[in-house]
Amino acid sequence: MTRNAGIGDQPVVLEPVGKGNRAAILALELLPRQQGFVASNAESLAEAKQDDEAIARAVIADGRVVGFLMYSAPEDDDEAIIYRFMIDRREQGKGLGRAAVAKALEEIAKLGHIRRVSICYEPENEAARRLYAGFGFVEQGLDEDDEMIAALELDG
């Protein structure tokens, strides 16, 4: 994992999704121009209930839920995939996205068996492209849904 990406302007914590933060996650909003870039948090939480490999996290800053992310890191694979990530529209531009990605990469690396992390995003999502490139993610090309796949090799 590259170290020059920094941790963002504010500290964040990732917490498992549960009764105490589910409503706050559902209340998070994207900017109108971002809404086509990621599935709704309601869809993601429903998917997480059905998928044993989904690891859903609330992004917390100053004791408040400011974002949501979800990844999978199967024990029988050395690749993790971050496939949902968003920061509430009212919290964007504060470094929270960068801090949340850094925390997610740290959490994934601590699992011990992961050597590579992949992430997908809409090719038109320039903010996502810049954010992930800042961590060293390298674009691999489009997947079957025409989403860009970018990968990061973890140190170790």
Side-chain angles (χ1 to χ4, degrees):
M1 174 171 28
T2 57
R3 302 287 177 213
N4 62 357
I7 299 184
D9 300 325
Q10 292 192 31
V12 300
V13 178
L14 301 183
E15 292 182 355
V17 173
K19 291 180 183 174
N21 57 24
R22 185 174 298 276
I25 291 168
L26 292 172
L28 297 173
E29 298 176 355
L30 291 169
L31 292 166
R33 70 177 181 272
Q34 298 169 325
Q35 290 174 2
F37 290 155
V38 67
S40 75
N41 290 345
E43 289 175 73
S44 296
L45 291 175
E47 184 178 328
K49 272 188 160 180
Q50 303 298 316
D51 184 353
D52 291 340
E53 292 182 347
I55 301 169
R57 296 287 185 254
V59 179
I60 311 293
D62 292 329
R64 295 176 298 111
V65 175
V66 298
F68 172 77
L69 69 84
M70 194 158 71
Y71 68 91
S72 67
E75 289 184 23
D76 62 348
D77 197 346
D78 67 351
E79 181 175 19
I81 301 171
I82 300 172
Y83 56 99
R84 299 287 159 67
F85 176 57
M86 62 85 68
I87 297 293
D88 186 81
R89 66 182 180 84
R90 295 166 290 254
E91 303 294 342
Q92 293 179 15
K94 301 176 182 178
L96 297 171
R98 179 166 299 284
V101 170
K103 284 289 186 189
L105 292 173
E106 185 180 300
E107 181 173 302
I108 290 167
K110 285 181 182 175
L111 296 173
H113 68 285
I114 300 298
R115 299 287 162 247
R116 176 182 170 106
V117 179
S118 294
I119 196 157
C120 318
Y121 50 88
E122 294 292 334
E124 307 83 42
N125 190 343
E126 286 299 324
R129 174 176 276 129
R130 285 190 307 274
L131 174 65
Y132 305 134
F135 282 94
F137 281 88
V138 177
E139 292 185 344
Q140 307 293 304
L142 300 177
D143 67 9
E144 64 276 0
D145 296 322
D146 290 327
E147 290 188 346
M148 181 59 67
I149 301 171
L152 174 69
E153 302 294 330
L154 298 180
D155 297 340

Coordinates of all heavy atoms in Angstrom, one line a residue, residues 38-132:
V38 N -23.3 4.8 -7.9 CA -23.2 3.8 -6.9 C -24.7 3.3 -6.5 O -25.6 4.2 -6.6 CB -22.4 4.3 -5.7 CG1 -23.1 5.3 -4.9 CG2 -22.1 3.1 -4.7
A39 N -24.8 2.1 -6.2 CA -26.1 1.6 -5.7 C -26.5 2.3 -4.4 O -25.7 2.8 -3.7 CB -26.0 0.1 -5.5
S40 N -27.8 2.4 -4.2 CA -28.3 3.0 -3.0 C -27.8 2.2 -1.7 O -27.6 1.0 -1.8 CB -29.8 3.1 -3.0 OG -30.4 1.9 -2.7
N41 N -27.7 2.9 -0.6 CA -27.3 2.2 0.6 C -28.4 1.2 1.0 O -28.0 0.2 1.6 CB -27.0 3.2 1.7 CG -25.8 4.0 1.5 OD1 -24.9 3.6 0.6 ND2 -25.6 5.1 2.2
A42 N -29.6 1.4 0.7 CA -30.7 0.5 1.0 C -30.4 -0.8 0.2 O -30.5 -1.9 0.8 CB -32.1 1.0 0.7
E43 N -30.1 -0.7 -1.1 CA -29.8 -1.9 -1.9 C -28.6 -2.6 -1.3 O -28.5 -3.8 -1.3 CB -29.5 -1.5 -3.3 CG -30.7 -1.0 -4.1 CD -30.3 -0.5 -5.5 OE1 -30.0 -1.4 -6.3 OE2 -30.3 0.7 -5.7
S44 N -27.6 -1.8 -1.0 CA -26.3 -2.4 -0.5 C -26.5 -3.2 0.9 O -26.0 -4.3 1.0 CB -25.3 -1.3 -0.3 OG -24.9 -0.8 -1.5
L45 N -27.3 -2.6 1.8 CA -27.6 -3.3 3.0 C -28.4 -4.5 2.8 O -28.2 -5.6 3.5 CB -28.3 -2.3 4.0 CG -27.4 -1.2 4.5 CD1 -28.2 -0.2 5.4 CD2 -26.2 -1.7 5.3
A46 N -29.3 -4.5 1.9 CA -30.1 -5.7 1.6 C -29.2 -6.8 1.0 O -29.3 -8.0 1.4 CB -31.2 -5.4 0.6
E47 N -28.3 -6.4 0.1 CA -27.3 -7.3 -0.5 C -26.4 -7.9 0.6 O -26.1 -9.1 0.6 CB -26.5 -6.6 -1.5 CG -25.6 -7.4 -2.3 CD -24.8 -6.7 -3.3 OE1 -25.3 -5.7 -3.9 OE2 -23.6 -7.1 -3.6
A48 N -26.0 -7.1 1.5 CA -25.1 -7.5 2.6 C -25.8 -8.6 3.5 O -25.1 -9.5 3.9 CB -24.7 -6.4 3.5
K49 N -27.1 -8.5 3.7 CA -27.8 -9.5 4.4 C -27.8 -10.8 3.7 O -27.8 -11.9 4.4 CB -29.3 -9.0 4.7 CG -29.5 -8.2 5.9 CD -31.0 -8.0 6.1 CE -31.2 -7.6 7.5 NZ -32.6 -7.4 7.8
Q50 N -27.8 -10.8 2.4 CA -27.9 -12.0 1.6 C -26.5 -12.7 1.3 O -26.5 -13.8 1.0 CB -28.6 -11.8 0.3 CG -30.0 -11.2 0.4 CD -30.9 -12.1 1.1 OE1 -31.0 -13.3 0.9 NE2 -31.7 -11.6 2.1
D51 N -25.5 -11.9 1.4 CA -24.2 -12.3 1.0 C -23.2 -12.5 2.2 O -22.9 -11.5 2.8 CB -23.6 -11.3 0.0 CG -22.2 -11.7 -0.6 OD1 -21.6 -12.7 -0.1 OD2 -21.7 -11.0 -1.4
D52 N -22.9 -13.7 2.5 CA -22.1 -14.0 3.7 C -20.7 -13.3 3.6 O -20.0 -13.1 4.6 CB -21.9 -15.5 3.9 CG -23.2 -16.1 4.3 OD1 -24.1 -15.4 4.8 OD2 -23.3 -17.4 4.1
E53 N -20.2 -13.1 2.4 CA -18.9 -12.5 2.2 C -18.8 -11.0 2.2 O -17.8 -10.4 2.2 CB -18.3 -13.0 0.9 CG -18.0 -14.5 0.9 CD -17.3 -15.0 -0.4 OE1 -17.3 -14.3 -1.4 OE2 -16.9 -16.2 -0.3
A54 N -20.0 -10.4 2.2 CA -20.1 -8.9 2.3 C -19.7 -8.4 3.6 O -20.2 -8.8 4.6 CB -21.5 -8.4 1.9
I55 N -18.8 -7.4 3.7 CA -18.4 -6.8 4.9 C -18.8 -5.3 4.8 O -18.2 -4.6 4.0 CB -16.9 -6.9 5.2 CG1 -16.5 -8.4 5.2 CG2 -16.4 -6.2 6.4 CD1 -15.0 -8.7 5.2
A56 N -19.8 -5.0 5.5 CA -20.4 -3.6 5.4 C -19.9 -2.8 6.6 O -19.8 -3.3 7.8 CB -21.9 -3.7 5.4
R57 N -19.5 -1.5 6.3 CA -19.0 -0.7 7.4 C -19.6 0.7 7.3 O -19.8 1.3 6.2 CB -17.4 -0.5 7.2 CG -16.7 -1.8 7.4 CD -16.6 -2.1 8.8 NE -15.8 -3.3 9.1 CZ -16.3 -4.5 9.4 NH1 -17.6 -4.7 9.5 NH2 -15.4 -5.5 9.7
A58 N -19.9 1.3 8.4 CA -20.3 2.7 8.5 C -19.0 3.5 8.7 O -18.1 3.1 9.4 CB -21.2 2.9 9.8
V59 N -18.9 4.6 8.0 CA -17.8 5.5 8.1 C -18.2 6.6 9.1 O -19.2 7.3 8.9 CB -17.4 6.2 6.8 CG1 -16.3 7.1 6.9 CG2 -17.1 5.1 5.7
I60 N -17.4 6.6 10.2 CA -17.8 7.5 11.4 C -16.7 8.6 11.5 O -15.5 8.3 11.5 CB -17.8 6.7 12.7 CG1 -18.6 5.5 12.6 CG2 -18.3 7.6 13.8 CD1 -20.1 5.7 12.4
A61 N -17.2 9.9 11.6 CA -16.3 11.0 11.9 C -17.0 11.9 13.0 O -18.2 12.1 12.9 CB -16.0 11.8 10.7
D62 N -16.2 12.3 14.0 CA -16.8 13.1 15.1 C -18.1 12.4 15.7 O -19.0 13.1 16.0 CB -17.1 14.5 14.6 CG -15.9 15.3 14.2 OD1 -14.8 15.0 14.9 OD2 -16.0 16.1 13.3
G63 N -18.1 11.1 15.7 CA -19.2 10.4 16.3 C -20.4 10.3 15.5 O -21.5 9.8 15.9
R64 N -20.3 10.7 14.2 CA -21.5 10.7 13.3 C -21.2 9.8 12.1 O -20.1 9.8 11.6 CB -21.8 12.1 12.8 CG -22.2 13.1 13.9 CD -22.4 14.5 13.3 NE -21.2 15.1 12.7 CZ -21.0 15.3 11.4 NH1 -21.9 15.0 10.5 NH2 -19.8 15.8 11.0
V65 N -22.2 9.2 11.6 CA -22.1 8.4 10.4 C -22.0 9.4 9.2 O -23.0 10.2 9.0 CB -23.3 7.4 10.2 CG1 -23.2 6.7 8.8 CG2 -23.4 6.4 11.3
V66 N -20.9 9.3 8.5 CA -20.7 10.2 7.3 C -20.6 9.5 6.0 O -20.6 10.1 4.9 CB -19.5 11.1 7.5 CG1 -19.7 12.0 8.8 CG2 -18.2 10.3 7.6
G67 N -20.5 8.2 6.1 CA -20.4 7.4 4.8 C -20.6 5.9 5.0 O -20.9 5.5 6.2
F68 N -20.5 5.2 4.0 CA -20.7 3.8 3.9 C -19.8 3.1 2.9 O -19.5 3.7 1.9 CB -22.2 3.5 3.5 CG -22.5 2.1 3.3 CD1 -22.7 1.2 4.4 CD2 -22.6 1.6 2.0 CE1 -23.0 -0.1 4.2 CE2 -22.9 0.2 1.8 CZ -23.1 -0.6 2.9
L69 N -19.3 1.9 3.3 CA -18.5 1.2 2.3 C -18.8 -0.3 2.6 O -19.2 -0.7 3.7 CB -17.0 1.5 2.3 CG -16.1 1.1 3.5 CD1 -15.7 -0.3 3.4 CD2 -14.9 2.0 3.5
M70 N -18.5 -1.1 1.5 CA -18.7 -2.5 1.6 C -17.7 -3.2 0.8 O -17.3 -2.7 -0.3 CB -20.1 -2.9 1.1 CG -20.6 -4.3 1.5 SD -22.4 -4.5 1.4 CE -22.8 -4.4 -0.3
Y71 N -17.1 -4.3 1.3 CA -16.1 -5.0 0.6 C -16.2 -6.5 0.9 O -17.0 -6.9 1.7 CB -14.7 -4.5 0.9 CG -14.2 -4.8 2.3 CD1 -13.5 -6.0 2.6 CD2 -14.4 -3.9 3.3 CE1 -13.0 -6.2 3.9 CE2 -13.9 -4.1 4.6 CZ -13.2 -5.3 4.9 OH -12.8 -5.5 6.2
S72 N -15.5 -7.3 0.1 CA -15.5 -8.7 0.3 C -14.0 -9.1 0.3 O -13.2 -8.5 -0.4 CB -16.2 -9.5 -0.7 OG -15.6 -9.4 -2.0
A73 N -13.7 -10.1 1.2 CA -12.3 -10.6 1.3 C -12.3 -12.0 1.6 O -12.0 -12.4 2.7 CB -11.5 -9.8 2.4
P74 N -12.8 -12.9 0.7 CA -12.9 -14.3 0.9 C -11.7 -14.9 1.5 O -10.6 -14.6 1.0 CB -13.3 -14.9 -0.4 CG -13.8 -13.7 -1.2 CD -13.1 -12.5 -0.7
E75 N -11.8 -15.8 2.4 CA -10.7 -16.4 3.1 C -9.9 -17.3 2.1 O -8.7 -17.6 2.3 CB -11.1 -17.3 4.3 CG -11.5 -16.4 5.4 CD -11.8 -17.1 6.7 OE1 -11.4 -18.3 6.8 OE2 -12.6 -16.6 7.5
D76 N -10.6 -17.8 1.0 CA -9.9 -18.7 0.1 C -9.4 -17.9 -1.1 O -9.1 -18.5 -2.2 CB -10.9 -19.8 -0.4 CG -12.1 -19.2 -1.1 OD1 -12.3 -18.0 -1.1 OD2 -12.9 -20.0 -1.7
D77 N -9.2 -16.6 -1.0 CA -8.7 -15.8 -2.1 C -7.7 -14.8 -1.5 O -7.8 -14.4 -0.4 CB -9.9 -15.1 -2.8 CG -9.6 -14.5 -4.2 OD1 -8.4 -14.5 -4.5 OD2 -10.5 -14.2 -4.9
D78 N -6.8 -14.3 -2.4 CA -5.8 -13.3 -1.9 C -6.2 -11.9 -2.4 O -5.4 -11.0 -2.3 CB -4.4 -13.7 -2.3 CG -4.2 -13.6 -3.8 OD1 -5.1 -13.5 -4.5 OD2 -3.0 -13.8 -4.2
E79 N -7.4 -11.8 -2.9 CA -7.9 -10.5 -3.4 C -9.2 -10.1 -2.7 O -10.1 -10.8 -2.5 CB -8.2 -10.6 -4.9 CG -8.6 -9.3 -5.5 CD -8.8 -9.3 -7.0 OE1 -8.9 -10.4 -7.6 OE2 -8.8 -8.2 -7.6
A80 N -9.2 -8.8 -2.3 CA -10.4 -8.2 -1.7 C -10.9 -7.2 -2.7 O -10.2 -6.7 -3.6 CB -10.0 -7.4 -0.4
I81 N -12.2 -7.0 -2.7 CA -12.9 -6.1 -3.6 C -13.7 -5.1 -2.8 O -14.6 -5.5 -2.1 CB -13.8 -6.9 -4.6 CG1 -12.9 -7.9 -5.4 CG2 -14.5 -5.9 -5.5 CD1 -13.7 -8.8 -6.3
I82 N -13.4 -3.9 -3.0 CA -14.3 -2.8 -2.4 C -15.3 -2.5 -3.5 O -14.9 -2.0 -4.5 CB -13.4 -1.6 -2.0 CG1 -12.4 -1.9 -1.0 CG2 -14.3 -0.4 -1.5 CD1 -11.4 -0.8 -0.7
Y83 N -16.5 -2.8 -3.2 CA -17.5 -2.6 -4.3 C -18.6 -1.6 -4.0 O -19.5 -1.4 -4.8 CB -18.1 -3.9 -4.8 CG -18.7 -4.8 -3.8 CD1 -20.1 -4.9 -3.6 CD2 -17.9 -5.7 -3.0 CE1 -20.6 -5.7 -2.7 CE2 -18.5 -6.5 -2.1 CZ -19.8 -6.5 -1.9 OH -20.4 -7.4 -1.0
R84 N -18.6 -1.0 -2.8 CA -19.5 0.1 -2.5 C -18.8 1.1 -1.6 O -18.1 0.7 -0.7 CB -20.8 -0.4 -1.8 CG -21.6 -1.4 -2.5 CD -22.4 -0.7 -3.7 NE -22.8 -1.7 -4.7 CZ -23.7 -2.6 -4.5 NH1 -24.3 -2.8 -3.4 NH2 -24.0 -3.4 -5.5
F85 N -18.9 2.3 -2.0 CA -18.3 3.4 -1.2 C -18.9 4.7 -1.5 O -19.1 5.1 -2.6 CB -16.7 3.4 -1.4 CG -16.1 4.6 -0.7 CD1 -16.1 4.6 0.7 CD2 -15.4 5.5 -1.4 CE1 -15.5 5.7 1.4 CE2 -14.7 6.6 -0.7 CZ -14.8 6.6 0.7
M86 N -19.3 5.4 -0.4 CA -19.9 6.7 -0.6 C -19.7 7.5 0.7 O -19.6 7.0 1.8 CB -21.3 6.7 -1.0 CG -22.3 6.0 0.0 SD -22.9 7.1 1.3 CE -23.9 8.2 0.5
I87 N -19.6 8.9 0.5 CA -19.5 9.8 1.6 C -20.7 10.7 1.4 O -21.0 11.2 0.2 CB -18.2 10.6 1.6 CG1 -17.0 9.7 1.8 CG2 -18.3 11.8 2.6 CD1 -16.9 9.1 3.2
D88 N -21.5 11.0 2.4 CA -22.6 11.9 2.4 C -22.3 13.2 1.7 O -21.2 13.8 1.9 CB -23.2 12.1 3.8 CG -24.5 12.9 3.7 OD1 -25.5 12.3 3.5 OD2 -24.5 14.1 3.9
R89 N -23.2 13.7 0.9 CA -23.0 14.9 0.1 C -22.6 16.1 1.0 O -21.9 17.0 0.6 CB -24.2 15.3 -0.7 CG -25.5 15.6 0.0 CD -26.7 15.9 -0.9 NE -27.9 16.2 -0.1 CZ -28.2 17.4 0.3 NH1 -27.4 18.4 0.1 NH2 -29.3 17.6 1.0
R90 N -23.2 16.2 2.2 CA -22.9 17.3 3.1 C -21.5 17.2 3.8 O -21.0 18.1 4.4 CB -23.9 17.3 4.2 CG -25.4 17.6 3.7 CD -26.4 17.3 4.7 NE -26.6 15.9 5.0 CZ -27.6 15.1 4.5 NH1 -28.5 15.7 3.8 NH2 -27.6 13.9 4.7
E91 N -20.8 16.0 3.6 CA -19.5 15.8 4.2 C -18.4 15.7 3.2 O -17.3 15.5 3.6 CB -19.6 14.5 5.1 CG -20.7 14.5 6.1 CD -20.5 15.5 7.2 OE1 -19.3 16.0 7.4 OE2 -21.4 15.8 7.9
Q92 N -18.7 15.8 2.0 CA -17.7 15.7 0.9 C -16.8 17.0 0.9 O -17.2 18.0 1.4 CB -18.3 15.5 -0.4 CG -19.0 14.2 -0.5 CD -19.7 14.0 -1.9 OE1 -19.5 14.7 -2.9 NE2 -20.6 13.0 -1.9
G93 N -15.6 16.8 0.4 CA -14.6 17.9 0.4 C -13.8 18.1 1.6 O -13.2 19.1 1.8
K94 N -14.0 17.3 2.6 CA -13.3 17.4 3.9 C -12.2 16.4 4.2 O -11.7 16.4 5.3 CB -14.3 17.3 5.0 CG -15.5 18.3 5.0 CD -16.5 18.0 6.0 CE -17.7 19.0 5.9 NZ -18.7 18.7 7.0
G95 N -11.9 15.6 3.2 CA -10.8 14.6 3.4 C -11.4 13.3 4.0 O -10.6 12.4 4.2
L96 N -12.7 13.2 4.2 CA -13.2 12.0 4.8 C -13.2 10.8 3.9 O -13.0 9.7 4.3 CB -14.7 12.3 5.3 CG -14.8 13.4 6.3 CD1 -16.3 13.7 6.5 CD2 -14.1 12.9 7.6
G97 N -13.4 11.0 2.6 CA -13.3 9.9 1.6 C -11.9 9.3 1.6 O -11.7 8.1 1.7
R98 N -10.9 10.2 1.6 CA -9.5 9.7 1.6 C -9.2 9.0 2.9 O -8.6 7.9 2.9 CB -8.5 10.9 1.4 CG -7.1 10.5 1.5 CD -6.2 11.6 1.0 NE -6.5 12.0 -0.4 CZ -6.1 11.3 -1.4 NH1 -5.4 10.2 -1.3 NH2 -6.4 11.7 -2.7
A99 N -9.7 9.5 4.0 CA -9.4 8.9 5.3 C -10.1 7.5 5.4 O -9.6 6.5 5.9 CB -9.9 9.8 6.4
A100 N -11.3 7.4 4.8 CA -12.1 6.2 4.9 C -11.4 5.1 4.0 O -11.4 3.9 4.4 CB -13.5 6.4 4.4
V101 N -11.0 5.5 2.9 CA -10.3 4.5 2.0 C -9.0 4.0 2.7 O -8.7 2.8 2.7 CB -9.9 5.1 0.6 CG1 -9.0 4.2 -0.2 CG2 -11.2 5.3 -0.2
A102 N -8.3 4.9 3.3 CA -7.1 4.5 4.1 C -7.4 3.5 5.2 O -6.7 2.5 5.4 CB -6.4 5.8 4.7
K103 N -8.5 3.8 5.9 CA -8.9 2.9 7.0 C -9.3 1.5 6.4 O -9.0 0.5 7.0 CB -10.1 3.5 7.8 CG -9.6 4.5 8.8 CD -8.8 4.0 9.9 CE -8.5 5.0 10.9 NZ -7.6 4.6 12.0
A104 N -10.1 1.6 5.3 CA -10.5 0.3 4.7 C -9.3 -0.5 4.3 O -9.2 -1.7 4.5 CB -11.4 0.6 3.5
L105 N -8.3 0.1 3.6 CA -7.1 -0.6 3.2 C -6.3 -1.1 4.4 O -5.8 -2.3 4.3 CB -6.2 0.3 2.3 CG -6.8 0.7 1.0 CD1 -5.9 1.7 0.3 CD2 -7.0 -0.5 0.1
E106 N -6.3 -0.4 5.5 CA -5.6 -0.8 6.7 C -6.4 -2.1 7.3 O -5.7 -3.1 7.6 CB -5.7 0.3 7.7 CG -4.9 0.1 9.0 CD -5.0 1.3 9.8 OE1 -4.6 2.4 9.4 OE2 -5.6 1.2 11.0
E107 N -7.7 -2.0 7.3 CA -8.5 -3.1 7.8 C -8.3 -4.4 7.0 O -8.1 -5.5 7.5 CB -9.9 -2.7 7.9 CG -10.9 -3.8 8.4 CD -12.3 -3.3 8.6 OE1 -12.5 -2.3 9.4 OE2 -13.2 -3.9 8.0
I108 N -8.3 -4.2 5.7 CA -8.1 -5.3 4.7 C -6.7 -5.9 4.9 O -6.6 -7.1 4.9 CB -8.4 -4.9 3.3 CG1 -9.9 -4.6 3.1 CG2 -7.9 -5.9 2.3 CD1 -10.3 -3.8 1.9
A109 N -5.7 -5.1 5.0 CA -4.3 -5.6 5.1 C -4.2 -6.4 6.4 O -3.4 -7.4 6.4 CB -3.4 -4.4 5.1
K110 N -4.8 -6.0 7.4 CA -4.7 -6.7 8.7 C -5.3 -8.1 8.7 O -5.0 -8.9 9.5 CB -5.4 -5.9 9.8 CG -4.6 -4.7 10.3 CD -5.3 -4.0 11.4 CE -4.5 -2.8 11.8 NZ -5.2 -2.0 12.8
L111 N -6.1 -8.4 7.7 CA -6.7 -9.7 7.5 C -5.6 -10.8 7.3 O -5.8 -11.9 7.7 CB -7.7 -9.8 6.4 CG -9.0 -8.9 6.6 CD1 -9.8 -8.9 5.3 CD2 -9.8 -9.4 7.8
G112 N -4.5 -10.3 6.7 CA -3.3 -11.2 6.6 C -3.2 -12.0 5.3 O -2.2 -12.3 4.9
H113 N -4.4 -12.4 4.7 CA -4.3 -13.2 3.5 C -4.5 -12.5 2.2 O -4.4 -13.0 1.1 CB -5.3 -14.3 3.6 CG -6.8 -13.9 3.5 ND1 -7.4 -13.2 4.6 CD2 -7.7 -13.9 2.5 CE1 -8.6 -12.9 4.2 NE2 -8.8 -13.3 3.0
I114 N -4.7 -11.2 2.3 CA -5.0 -10.4 1.1 C -3.7 -9.7 0.6 O -3.0 -9.1 1.3 CB -6.1 -9.3 1.4 CG1 -7.4 -9.9 1.9 CG2 -6.3 -8.4 0.2 CD1 -8.1 -10.8 0.9
R115 N -3.5 -9.9 -0.7 CA -2.3 -9.3 -1.3 C -2.7 -8.3 -2.4 O -1.8 -7.5 -2.8 CB -1.5 -10.4 -2.1 CG -1.0 -11.5 -1.2 CD 0.1 -11.0 -0.3 NE 0.3 -11.9 0.8 CZ 0.1 -11.6 2.1 NH1 -0.3 -10.4 2.4 NH2 0.3 -12.4 3.1
R116 N -3.9 -8.2 -2.8 CA -4.4 -7.3 -3.8 C -5.8 -6.8 -3.5 O -6.6 -7.6 -3.0 CB -4.4 -8.1 -5.2 CG -4.9 -7.3 -6.3 CD -4.8 -8.3 -7.5 NE -5.5 -7.8 -8.7 CZ -4.9 -7.3 -9.8 NH1 -3.6 -7.3 -9.8 NH2 -5.6 -6.9 -10.8
V117 N -6.0 -5.5 -3.7 CA -7.3 -5.0 -3.5 C -7.8 -4.4 -4.8 O -7.1 -3.6 -5.5 CB -7.3 -3.9 -2.4 CG1 -8.7 -3.3 -2.2 CG2 -6.8 -4.4 -1.1
S118 N -9.0 -4.7 -5.2 CA -9.6 -4.1 -6.4 C -10.8 -3.3 -6.0 O -11.4 -3.5 -5.0 CB -10.1 -5.3 -7.4 OG -9.0 -6.0 -7.8
I119 N -11.1 -2.3 -6.9 CA -12.2 -1.4 -6.7 C -12.8 -1.1 -8.1 O -12.1 -1.1 -9.1 CB -11.8 -0.2 -6.0 CG1 -13.0 0.6 -5.4 CG2 -10.9 0.7 -6.8 CD1 -12.6 1.5 -4.2
C120 N -14.1 -0.9 -8.1 CA -14.8 -0.6 -9.4 C -15.4 0.8 -9.3 O -15.9 1.1 -8.2 CB -15.9 -1.6 -9.8 SG -15.6 -3.3 -9.5
Y121 N -15.5 1.5 -10.4 CA -16.2 2.8 -10.4 C -16.6 3.1 -11.8 O -16.0 2.5 -12.8 CB -15.3 3.9 -9.8 CG -13.9 4.0 -10.3 CD1 -13.6 4.8 -11.5 CD2 -12.9 3.3 -9.7 CE1 -12.4 4.8 -12.0 CE2 -11.6 3.4 -10.2 CZ -11.3 4.2 -11.3 OH -10.1 4.3 -11.8
E122 N -17.6 3.9 -11.9 CA -18.0 4.4 -13.3 C -16.9 5.2 -13.9 O -16.3 6.1 -13.2 CB -19.3 5.2 -13.2 CG -20.5 4.5 -12.7 CD -21.0 3.5 -13.6 OE1 -20.8 3.6 -14.9 OE2 -21.6 2.5 -13.2
P123 N -16.6 4.9 -15.2 CA -15.4 5.7 -15.8 C -15.6 7.2 -15.8 O -14.6 7.9 -15.8 CB -15.5 5.1 -17.3 CG -16.2 3.8 -17.2 CD -17.1 3.9 -16.0
E124 N -16.8 7.7 -15.7 CA -17.1 9.1 -15.7 C -16.8 9.7 -14.4 O -16.9 10.9 -14.2 CB -18.5 9.4 -16.1 CG -19.0 8.8 -17.4 CD -19.4 7.4 -17.3 OE1 -20.1 7.0 -16.3 OE2 -19.1 6.6 -18.1
N125 N -16.6 8.9 -13.3 CA -16.5 9.4 -12.0 C -15.0 9.8 -11.7 O -14.2 9.1 -11.2 CB -16.9 8.3 -11.0 CG -17.1 8.9 -9.6 OD1 -16.5 9.9 -9.2 ND2 -17.7 8.1 -8.7
E126 N -14.7 11.1 -12.2 CA -13.4 11.6 -12.1 C -12.9 11.7 -10.6 O -11.7 11.5 -10.3 CB -13.2 12.9 -12.8 CG -13.2 12.8 -14.3 CD -12.1 12.0 -14.8 OE1 -11.0 12.0 -14.3 OE2 -12.3 11.2 -15.8
A127 N -13.8 12.1 -9.7 CA -13.4 12.2 -8.3 C -12.9 10.8 -7.8 O -11.9 10.8 -7.1 CB -14.6 12.7 -7.5
A128 N -13.7 9.8 -8.1 CA -13.2 8.4 -7.7 C -11.9 8.1 -8.3 O -11.0 7.5 -7.6 CB -14.3 7.4 -8.0
R129 N -11.8 8.3 -9.6 CA -10.5 8.0 -10.3 C -9.3 8.7 -9.6 O -8.3 8.0 -9.3 CB -10.6 8.4 -11.7 CG -9.3 8.3 -12.5 CD -9.4 8.6 -14.0 NE -10.0 7.4 -14.6 CZ -11.0 7.4 -15.5 NH1 -11.7 8.6 -15.7 NH2 -11.4 6.3 -16.0
R130 N -9.4 10.0 -9.3 CA -8.4 10.7 -8.6 C -8.1 10.1 -7.2 O -6.9 10.0 -6.8 CB -8.7 12.2 -8.6 CG -8.5 12.9 -9.9 CD -8.6 14.4 -9.8 NE -9.8 14.9 -9.0 CZ -11.0 15.1 -9.6 NH1 -11.1 14.9 -10.9 NH2 -12.0 15.5 -8.9
L131 N -9.2 9.9 -6.5 CA -9.0 9.4 -5.1 C -8.2 8.1 -5.1 O -7.3 7.9 -4.4 CB -10.4 9.2 -4.5 CG -10.4 8.5 -3.1 CD1 -9.7 9.4 -2.1 CD2 -11.8 8.3 -2.7
Y132 N -8.7 7.1 -5.9 CA -8.0 5.8 -5.9 C -6.6 5.8 -6.5 O -5.7 5.2 -6.0 CB -8.9 4.8 -6.6 CG -10.3 4.7 -6.0 CD1 -11.4 4.7 -6.8 CD2 -10.5 4.7 -4.6 CE1 -12.7 4.7 -6.3 CE2 -11.8 4.7 -4.1 CZ -12.9 4.7 -4.9 OH -14.2 4.7 -4.4

